[in-house]
mmCIF file of all heavy atoms in Angstrom:
data_model
loop_
_atom_site.group_PDB
_atom_site.id
_atom_site.type_symbol
_atom_site.label_atom_id
_atom_site.label_comp_id
_atom_site.label_asym_id
_atom_site.label_seq_id
_atom_site.Cartn_x
_atom_site.Cartn_y
_atom_site.Cartn_z
ATOM 1 N N ILE A 1 -12.887 44.056 -187.737
ATOM 2 C CA ILE A 1 -13.442 44.644 -186.526
ATOM 3 C C ILE A 1 -14.891 44.433 -186.435
ATOM 4 O O ILE A 1 -15.684 44.915 -187.305
ATOM 5 C CB ILE A 1 -13.164 46.204 -186.555
ATOM 6 C CG1 ILE A 1 -11.764 46.579 -186.872
ATOM 7 C CG2 ILE A 1 -13.552 46.788 -185.135
ATOM 8 C CD1 ILE A 1 -11.458 48.041 -186.911
ATOM 9 N N PRO A 2 -15.364 43.624 -185.443
ATOM 10 C CA PRO A 2 -16.829 43.464 -185.247
ATOM 11 C C PRO A 2 -17.488 44.840 -185.063
ATOM 12 O O PRO A 2 -16.936 45.670 -184.368
ATOM 13 C CB PRO A 2 -16.955 42.610 -183.962
ATOM 14 C CG PRO A 2 -15.595 41.948 -183.894
ATOM 15 C CD PRO A 2 -14.595 42.912 -184.441
ATOM 16 N N ILE A 3 -18.633 45.022 -185.668
ATOM 17 C CA ILE A 3 -19.351 46.282 -185.517
ATOM 18 C C ILE A 3 -19.860 46.357 -184.093
ATOM 19 O O ILE A 3 -20.660 45.456 -183.643
ATOM 20 C CB ILE A 3 -20.508 46.397 -186.509
ATOM 21 C CG1 ILE A 3 -19.915 46.475 -187.937
ATOM 22 C CG2 ILE A 3 -21.387 47.634 -186.222
ATOM 23 C CD1 ILE A 3 -20.991 46.471 -189.035
ATOM 24 N N PRO A 4 -19.489 47.371 -183.273
ATOM 25 C CA PRO A 4 -19.974 47.454 -181.902
ATOM 26 C C PRO A 4 -21.436 47.796 -181.782
ATOM 27 O O PRO A 4 -22.022 48.338 -182.683
ATOM 28 C CB PRO A 4 -19.062 48.560 -181.293
ATOM 29 C CG PRO A 4 -18.695 49.405 -182.482
ATOM 30 C CD PRO A 4 -18.634 48.473 -183.663
ATOM 31 N N GLU A 5 -22.014 47.423 -180.623
ATOM 32 C CA GLU A 5 -23.403 47.763 -180.357
ATOM 33 C C GLU A 5 -23.650 49.250 -180.470
ATOM 34 O O GLU A 5 -24.634 49.730 -180.922
ATOM 35 C CB GLU A 5 -23.842 47.231 -178.994
ATOM 36 C CG GLU A 5 -24.012 45.724 -178.924
ATOM 37 C CD GLU A 5 -24.575 45.240 -177.635
ATOM 38 O OE1 GLU A 5 -25.201 46.099 -176.940
ATOM 39 O OE2 GLU A 5 -24.530 44.075 -177.321
ATOM 40 N N ASP A 6 -22.690 50.021 -179.972
ATOM 41 C CA ASP A 6 -22.732 51.455 -180.057
ATOM 42 C C ASP A 6 -21.642 51.896 -181.014
ATOM 43 O O ASP A 6 -20.473 52.063 -180.677
ATOM 44 C CB ASP A 6 -22.536 52.140 -178.699
ATOM 45 C CG ASP A 6 -22.529 53.642 -178.801
ATOM 46 O OD1 ASP A 6 -22.869 54.152 -179.870
ATOM 47 O OD2 ASP A 6 -22.167 54.295 -177.792
ATOM 48 N N PRO A 7 -22.021 52.110 -182.329
ATOM 49 C CA PRO A 7 -21.008 52.472 -183.310
ATOM 50 C C PRO A 7 -20.456 53.814 -183.155
ATOM 51 O O PRO A 7 -19.451 54.185 -183.818
ATOM 52 C CB PRO A 7 -21.771 52.330 -184.619
ATOM 53 C CG PRO A 7 -23.192 52.633 -184.295
ATOM 54 C CD PRO A 7 -23.378 52.031 -182.890
ATOM 55 N N THR A 8 -20.998 54.667 -182.251
ATOM 56 C CA THR A 8 -20.492 56.010 -182.074
ATOM 57 C C THR A 8 -19.222 55.989 -181.149
ATOM 58 O O THR A 8 -18.596 57.065 -181.050
ATOM 59 C CB THR A 8 -21.524 56.979 -181.425
ATOM 60 O OG1 THR A 8 -21.892 56.460 -180.145
ATOM 61 C CG2 THR A 8 -22.790 56.969 -182.320
ATOM 62 N N VAL A 9 -18.939 54.831 -180.500
ATOM 63 C CA VAL A 9 -17.728 54.774 -179.733
ATOM 64 C C VAL A 9 -16.524 54.905 -180.665
ATOM 65 O O VAL A 9 -16.525 54.458 -181.820
ATOM 66 C CB VAL A 9 -17.638 53.453 -178.962
ATOM 67 C CG1 VAL A 9 -17.560 52.245 -179.913
ATOM 68 C CG2 VAL A 9 -16.481 53.430 -177.995
ATOM 69 N N SER A 10 -15.481 55.614 -180.196
ATOM 70 C CA SER A 10 -14.321 55.868 -181.071
ATOM 71 C C SER A 10 -13.073 55.773 -180.215
ATOM 72 O O SER A 10 -12.922 56.433 -179.210
ATOM 73 C CB SER A 10 -14.454 57.267 -181.728
ATOM 74 O OG SER A 10 -13.351 57.496 -182.565
ATOM 75 N N PRO A 11 -12.090 54.978 -180.684
ATOM 76 C CA PRO A 11 -12.116 54.067 -181.820
ATOM 77 C C PRO A 11 -12.919 52.824 -181.514
ATOM 78 O O PRO A 11 -13.268 52.540 -180.376
ATOM 79 C CB PRO A 11 -10.696 53.726 -182.058
ATOM 80 C CG PRO A 11 -10.045 53.805 -180.681
ATOM 81 C CD PRO A 11 -10.733 54.957 -180.012
ATOM 82 N N TRP A 12 -13.244 52.047 -182.565
ATOM 83 C CA TRP A 12 -13.971 50.800 -182.340
ATOM 84 C C TRP A 12 -13.056 49.803 -181.641
ATOM 85 O O TRP A 12 -11.883 49.678 -181.957
ATOM 86 C CB TRP A 12 -14.438 50.251 -183.669
ATOM 87 C CG TRP A 12 -15.645 50.917 -184.218
ATOM 88 C CD1 TRP A 12 -16.270 52.082 -183.771
ATOM 89 C CD2 TRP A 12 -16.361 50.514 -185.424
ATOM 90 N NE1 TRP A 12 -17.291 52.411 -184.596
ATOM 91 C CE2 TRP A 12 -17.407 51.444 -185.631
ATOM 92 C CE3 TRP A 12 -16.268 49.458 -186.290
ATOM 93 C CZ2 TRP A 12 -18.314 51.372 -186.670
ATOM 94 C CZ3 TRP A 12 -17.172 49.379 -187.371
ATOM 95 C CH2 TRP A 12 -18.188 50.317 -187.536
ATOM 96 N N PRO A 13 -13.598 49.009 -180.685
ATOM 97 C CA PRO A 13 -12.760 48.025 -179.957
ATOM 98 C C PRO A 13 -12.666 46.696 -180.703
ATOM 99 O O PRO A 13 -13.263 46.512 -181.783
ATOM 100 C CB PRO A 13 -13.531 47.830 -178.681
ATOM 101 C CG PRO A 13 -14.979 48.069 -179.018
ATOM 102 C CD PRO A 13 -14.929 49.095 -180.140
ATOM 103 N N ASP A 14 -11.929 45.776 -180.167
ATOM 104 C CA ASP A 14 -11.804 44.407 -180.617
ATOM 105 C C ASP A 14 -11.222 44.293 -182.030
ATOM 106 O O ASP A 14 -11.731 43.621 -182.891
ATOM 107 C CB ASP A 14 -13.158 43.689 -180.556
ATOM 108 C CG ASP A 14 -13.053 42.152 -180.591
ATOM 109 O OD1 ASP A 14 -11.902 41.646 -180.465
ATOM 110 O OD2 ASP A 14 -14.056 41.524 -180.930
ATOM 111 N N VAL A 15 -10.109 45.011 -182.256
ATOM 112 C CA VAL A 15 -9.482 44.997 -183.564
ATOM 113 C C VAL A 15 -8.664 43.701 -183.703
ATOM 114 O O VAL A 15 -7.885 43.352 -182.810
ATOM 115 C CB VAL A 15 -8.601 46.257 -183.666
ATOM 116 C CG1 VAL A 15 -7.830 46.180 -185.001
ATOM 117 C CG2 VAL A 15 -9.347 47.526 -183.542
ATOM 118 N N GLN A 16 -8.874 43.026 -184.827
ATOM 119 C CA GLN A 16 -8.142 41.780 -185.115
ATOM 120 C C GLN A 16 -7.515 41.881 -186.490
ATOM 121 O O GLN A 16 -7.948 42.638 -187.351
ATOM 122 C CB GLN A 16 -9.108 40.605 -185.105
ATOM 123 C CG GLN A 16 -9.891 40.437 -183.753
ATOM 124 C CD GLN A 16 -11.001 39.425 -183.867
ATOM 125 O OE1 GLN A 16 -10.827 38.319 -184.348
ATOM 126 N NE2 GLN A 16 -12.138 39.758 -183.240
ATOM 127 N N ILE A 17 -6.435 41.084 -186.646
ATOM 128 C CA ILE A 17 -5.721 40.998 -187.945
ATOM 129 C C ILE A 17 -5.972 39.659 -188.568
ATOM 130 O O ILE A 17 -5.683 38.614 -187.940
ATOM 131 C CB ILE A 17 -4.213 41.246 -187.720
ATOM 132 C CG1 ILE A 17 -3.938 42.600 -186.948
ATOM 133 C CG2 ILE A 17 -3.491 41.231 -189.088
ATOM 134 C CD1 ILE A 17 -4.407 43.808 -187.705
ATOM 135 N N ILE A 18 -6.526 39.672 -189.786
ATOM 136 C CA ILE A 18 -6.682 38.450 -190.515
ATOM 137 C C ILE A 18 -5.372 37.958 -191.101
ATOM 138 O O ILE A 18 -5.023 36.777 -191.092
ATOM 139 C CB ILE A 18 -7.737 38.628 -191.637
ATOM 140 C CG1 ILE A 18 -9.119 38.900 -190.974
ATOM 141 C CG2 ILE A 18 -7.788 37.475 -192.566
ATOM 142 C CD1 ILE A 18 -10.195 39.161 -192.007
ATOM 143 N N ALA A 19 -4.633 38.892 -191.761
ATOM 144 C CA ALA A 19 -3.373 38.551 -192.368
ATOM 145 C C ALA A 19 -2.554 39.803 -192.554
ATOM 146 O O ALA A 19 -3.040 40.924 -192.536
ATOM 147 C CB ALA A 19 -3.591 37.870 -193.768
ATOM 148 N N GLU A 20 -1.234 39.628 -192.740
ATOM 149 C CA GLU A 20 -0.418 40.801 -193.032
ATOM 150 C C GLU A 20 0.765 40.399 -193.895
ATOM 151 O O GLU A 20 1.054 39.233 -194.073
ATOM 152 C CB GLU A 20 0.059 41.488 -191.737
ATOM 153 C CG GLU A 20 0.766 40.613 -190.731
ATOM 154 C CD GLU A 20 0.992 41.410 -189.450
ATOM 155 O OE1 GLU A 20 1.284 42.630 -189.592
ATOM 156 O OE2 GLU A 20 1.001 40.797 -188.364
ATOM 157 N N GLY A 21 1.340 41.446 -194.510
ATOM 158 C CA GLY A 21 2.444 41.207 -195.401
ATOM 159 C C GLY A 21 2.054 40.554 -196.724
ATOM 160 O O GLY A 21 2.874 39.880 -197.348
ATOM 161 N N LYS A 22 0.768 40.744 -197.168
ATOM 162 C CA LYS A 22 0.298 40.073 -198.369
ATOM 163 C C LYS A 22 0.635 40.960 -199.608
ATOM 164 O O LYS A 22 0.244 42.110 -199.641
ATOM 165 C CB LYS A 22 -1.203 39.834 -198.224
ATOM 166 C CG LYS A 22 -1.626 39.122 -196.986
ATOM 167 C CD LYS A 22 -0.835 37.894 -196.704
ATOM 168 C CE LYS A 22 -1.051 36.745 -197.677
ATOM 169 N NZ LYS A 22 -0.343 35.517 -197.279
ATOM 170 N N SER A 23 1.226 40.327 -200.531
ATOM 171 C CA SER A 23 1.612 41.028 -201.808
ATOM 172 C C SER A 23 1.856 40.019 -202.929
ATOM 173 O O SER A 23 1.868 38.797 -202.695
ATOM 174 C CB SER A 23 2.931 41.779 -201.555
ATOM 175 O OG SER A 23 3.993 40.920 -201.280
ATOM 176 N N GLU A 24 1.990 40.571 -204.094
ATOM 177 C CA GLU A 24 2.337 39.811 -205.312
ATOM 178 C C GLU A 24 3.665 40.358 -205.822
ATOM 179 O O GLU A 24 3.846 41.594 -205.784
ATOM 180 C CB GLU A 24 1.268 39.916 -206.360
ATOM 181 C CG GLU A 24 0.095 38.999 -206.194
ATOM 182 C CD GLU A 24 0.436 37.530 -206.481
ATOM 183 O OE1 GLU A 24 0.876 37.211 -207.660
ATOM 184 O OE2 GLU A 24 0.274 36.691 -205.571
ATOM 185 N N PRO A 25 4.572 39.541 -206.378
ATOM 186 C CA PRO A 25 5.739 40.064 -206.996
ATOM 187 C C PRO A 25 5.356 41.025 -208.117
ATOM 188 O O PRO A 25 4.492 40.754 -208.932
ATOM 189 C CB PRO A 25 6.459 38.806 -207.553
ATOM 190 C CG PRO A 25 5.882 37.710 -206.732
ATOM 191 C CD PRO A 25 4.499 38.081 -206.446
ATOM 192 N N ASN A 26 6.054 42.164 -208.161
ATOM 193 C CA ASN A 26 5.868 43.131 -209.233
ATOM 194 C C ASN A 26 7.217 43.615 -209.730
ATOM 195 O O ASN A 26 7.828 44.475 -209.128
ATOM 196 C CB ASN A 26 5.068 44.349 -208.744
ATOM 197 C CG ASN A 26 4.739 45.327 -209.871
ATOM 198 O OD1 ASN A 26 5.175 45.134 -210.990
ATOM 199 N ND2 ASN A 26 4.047 46.400 -209.569
ATOM 200 N N PRO A 27 7.727 43.011 -210.780
ATOM 201 C CA PRO A 27 9.044 43.380 -211.323
ATOM 202 C C PRO A 27 9.133 44.802 -211.830
ATOM 203 O O PRO A 27 10.201 45.334 -212.091
ATOM 204 C CB PRO A 27 9.319 42.361 -212.429
ATOM 205 C CG PRO A 27 7.949 41.904 -212.837
ATOM 206 C CD PRO A 27 7.087 41.959 -211.613
ATOM 207 N N TYR A 28 7.956 45.434 -212.045
ATOM 208 C CA TYR A 28 7.880 46.774 -212.593
ATOM 209 C C TYR A 28 8.023 47.827 -211.535
ATOM 210 O O TYR A 28 8.101 49.027 -211.794
ATOM 211 C CB TYR A 28 6.611 46.934 -213.364
ATOM 212 C CG TYR A 28 6.275 45.814 -214.292
ATOM 213 C CD1 TYR A 28 5.323 44.877 -213.942
ATOM 214 C CD2 TYR A 28 6.958 45.653 -215.501
ATOM 215 C CE1 TYR A 28 5.066 43.767 -214.762
ATOM 216 C CE2 TYR A 28 6.668 44.541 -216.312
ATOM 217 C CZ TYR A 28 5.697 43.675 -215.965
ATOM 218 O OH TYR A 28 5.364 42.593 -216.787
ATOM 219 N N SER A 29 7.894 47.418 -210.245
ATOM 220 C CA SER A 29 7.882 48.337 -209.116
ATOM 221 C C SER A 29 9.301 48.384 -208.468
ATOM 222 O O SER A 29 9.981 47.347 -208.349
ATOM 223 C CB SER A 29 6.904 47.860 -208.075
ATOM 224 O OG SER A 29 7.108 48.551 -206.826
ATOM 225 N N PRO A 30 9.739 49.567 -208.049
ATOM 226 C CA PRO A 30 11.019 49.686 -207.360
ATOM 227 C C PRO A 30 11.105 48.818 -206.128
ATOM 228 O O PRO A 30 12.167 48.311 -205.768
ATOM 229 C CB PRO A 30 11.181 51.201 -206.990
ATOM 230 C CG PRO A 30 10.259 51.871 -207.967
ATOM 231 C CD PRO A 30 9.114 50.941 -208.257
ATOM 232 N N ALA A 31 9.945 48.615 -205.456
ATOM 233 C CA ALA A 31 9.957 47.772 -204.254
ATOM 234 C C ALA A 31 10.022 46.305 -204.580
ATOM 235 O O ALA A 31 10.349 45.506 -203.717
ATOM 236 C CB ALA A 31 8.673 48.051 -203.452
ATOM 237 N N GLY A 32 9.671 45.973 -205.819
ATOM 238 C CA GLY A 32 9.677 44.559 -206.237
ATOM 239 C C GLY A 32 8.482 43.761 -205.883
ATOM 240 O O GLY A 32 8.342 42.619 -206.223
ATOM 241 N N PHE A 33 7.497 44.385 -205.238
ATOM 242 C CA PHE A 33 6.287 43.752 -204.933
ATOM 243 C C PHE A 33 5.140 44.729 -204.977
ATOM 244 O O PHE A 33 5.303 45.948 -204.953
ATOM 245 C CB PHE A 33 6.341 43.119 -203.526
ATOM 246 C CG PHE A 33 6.386 44.115 -202.362
ATOM 247 C CD1 PHE A 33 5.228 44.569 -201.765
ATOM 248 C CD2 PHE A 33 7.608 44.555 -201.915
ATOM 249 C CE1 PHE A 33 5.274 45.499 -200.726
ATOM 250 C CE2 PHE A 33 7.689 45.479 -200.826
ATOM 251 C CZ PHE A 33 6.512 45.918 -200.271
ATOM 252 N N GLN A 34 3.875 44.198 -205.037
ATOM 253 C CA GLN A 34 2.696 44.982 -205.091
ATOM 254 C C GLN A 34 1.761 44.565 -203.965
ATOM 255 O O GLN A 34 1.365 43.419 -203.895
ATOM 256 C CB GLN A 34 1.988 44.782 -206.448
ATOM 257 C CG GLN A 34 0.820 45.767 -206.680
ATOM 258 C CD GLN A 34 1.317 47.183 -206.835
ATOM 259 O OE1 GLN A 34 2.316 47.366 -207.533
ATOM 260 N NE2 GLN A 34 0.601 48.123 -206.263
ATOM 261 N N PRO A 35 1.411 45.479 -203.020
ATOM 262 C CA PRO A 35 0.508 45.121 -201.983
ATOM 263 C C PRO A 35 -0.879 44.647 -202.576
ATOM 264 O O PRO A 35 -1.349 45.195 -203.550
ATOM 265 C CB PRO A 35 0.309 46.400 -201.166
ATOM 266 C CG PRO A 35 1.558 47.228 -201.494
ATOM 267 C CD PRO A 35 1.923 46.886 -202.867
ATOM 268 N N GLU A 36 -1.431 43.608 -201.952
ATOM 269 C CA GLU A 36 -2.686 43.079 -202.513
ATOM 270 C C GLU A 36 -3.828 44.039 -202.164
ATOM 271 O O GLU A 36 -3.789 44.761 -201.187
ATOM 272 C CB GLU A 36 -2.919 41.688 -201.979
ATOM 273 C CG GLU A 36 -2.043 40.644 -202.496
ATOM 274 C CD GLU A 36 -2.638 39.274 -202.603
ATOM 275 O OE1 GLU A 36 -3.243 38.818 -201.574
ATOM 276 O OE2 GLU A 36 -2.528 38.631 -203.622
ATOM 277 N N GLU A 37 -4.837 43.934 -203.056
ATOM 278 C CA GLU A 37 -6.038 44.704 -202.831
ATOM 279 C C GLU A 37 -7.222 43.958 -203.422
ATOM 280 O O GLU A 37 -7.089 42.935 -204.108
ATOM 281 C CB GLU A 37 -5.961 46.130 -203.426
ATOM 282 C CG GLU A 37 -5.784 46.137 -204.899
ATOM 283 C CD GLU A 37 -5.567 47.547 -205.436
ATOM 284 O OE1 GLU A 37 -4.540 48.174 -205.099
ATOM 285 O OE2 GLU A 37 -6.457 48.052 -206.127
ATOM 286 N N GLY A 38 -8.416 44.496 -203.140
ATOM 287 C CA GLY A 38 -9.650 43.875 -203.592
ATOM 288 C C GLY A 38 -10.216 42.968 -202.519
ATOM 289 O O GLY A 38 -9.518 42.075 -202.051
ATOM 290 N N LEU A 39 -11.495 43.140 -202.241
ATOM 291 C CA LEU A 39 -12.180 42.300 -201.233
ATOM 292 C C LEU A 39 -13.491 41.771 -201.764
ATOM 293 O O LEU A 39 -14.218 42.481 -202.503
ATOM 294 C CB LEU A 39 -12.426 43.094 -199.935
ATOM 295 C CG LEU A 39 -11.268 43.517 -199.113
ATOM 296 C CD1 LEU A 39 -11.709 44.436 -197.935
ATOM 297 C CD2 LEU A 39 -10.475 42.328 -198.528
ATOM 298 N N ALA A 40 -13.856 40.556 -201.412
ATOM 299 C CA ALA A 40 -15.121 39.965 -201.678
ATOM 300 C C ALA A 40 -15.460 38.977 -200.595
ATOM 301 O O ALA A 40 -14.553 38.413 -199.950
ATOM 302 C CB ALA A 40 -15.188 39.315 -203.049
ATOM 303 N N ILE A 41 -16.745 38.738 -200.392
ATOM 304 C CA ILE A 41 -17.200 37.716 -199.400
ATOM 305 C C ILE A 41 -18.056 36.724 -200.061
ATOM 306 O O ILE A 41 -18.998 37.105 -200.870
ATOM 307 C CB ILE A 41 -17.953 38.415 -198.259
ATOM 308 C CG1 ILE A 41 -16.955 39.243 -197.364
ATOM 309 C CG2 ILE A 41 -18.701 37.409 -197.407
ATOM 310 C CD1 ILE A 41 -17.657 40.033 -196.307
ATOM 311 N N GLY A 42 -17.904 35.427 -199.857
ATOM 312 C CA GLY A 42 -18.706 34.407 -200.362
ATOM 313 C C GLY A 42 -18.313 33.011 -199.873
ATOM 314 O O GLY A 42 -17.202 32.837 -199.328
ATOM 315 N N ASP A 43 -19.168 32.060 -199.973
ATOM 316 C CA ASP A 43 -18.913 30.729 -199.552
ATOM 317 C C ASP A 43 -18.191 29.993 -200.688
ATOM 318 O O ASP A 43 -18.873 29.503 -201.623
ATOM 319 C CB ASP A 43 -20.217 30.011 -199.192
ATOM 320 C CG ASP A 43 -19.991 28.597 -198.708
ATOM 321 O OD1 ASP A 43 -18.855 28.187 -198.488
ATOM 322 O OD2 ASP A 43 -21.022 27.856 -198.556
ATOM 323 N N VAL A 44 -16.935 29.847 -200.593
ATOM 324 C CA VAL A 44 -16.160 29.229 -201.665
ATOM 325 C C VAL A 44 -15.852 27.701 -201.454
ATOM 326 O O VAL A 44 -15.443 27.036 -202.317
ATOM 327 C CB VAL A 44 -14.794 29.968 -201.994
ATOM 328 C CG1 VAL A 44 -15.113 31.371 -202.392
ATOM 329 C CG2 VAL A 44 -13.902 29.903 -200.819
ATOM 330 N N ASP A 45 -16.021 27.229 -200.206
ATOM 331 C CA ASP A 45 -15.768 25.833 -199.907
ATOM 332 C C ASP A 45 -17.065 25.012 -199.717
ATOM 333 O O ASP A 45 -16.958 23.828 -199.424
ATOM 334 C CB ASP A 45 -14.799 25.642 -198.792
ATOM 335 C CG ASP A 45 -15.389 26.169 -197.464
ATOM 336 O OD1 ASP A 45 -16.498 26.679 -197.410
ATOM 337 O OD2 ASP A 45 -14.654 26.049 -196.429
ATOM 338 N N GLY A 46 -18.208 25.634 -199.835
ATOM 339 C CA GLY A 46 -19.487 24.924 -199.806
ATOM 340 C C GLY A 46 -19.959 24.428 -198.459
ATOM 341 O O GLY A 46 -20.810 23.584 -198.364
#
């Protein structure tokens, strides 16, 4: 979500989805998968 010029507006507009349904297999979980977590930002392709 881009930060709006007026951040007091609610809800914030222009909501976008980068990805969905992201998980790793987890044989220890009843669901069989683990939702992904953890975020970082950086230039990884130079």
Side-chain angles (χ1 to χ4, degrees):
I1 311 179
I3 295 175
E5 287 189 16
D6 179 7
T8 65
V9 65
S10 181
W12 285 6
D14 196 16
V15 177
Q16 302 170 44
I17 305 298
I18 293 177
E20 54 186 327
K22 308 310 292 185
S23 64
E24 278 288 302
N26 183 359
Y28 315 102
S29 166
F33 68 90
Q34 190 67 41
E36 288 211 311
E37 62 185 66
L39 292 175
I41 290 174
D43 179 10
V44 299
D45 63 359

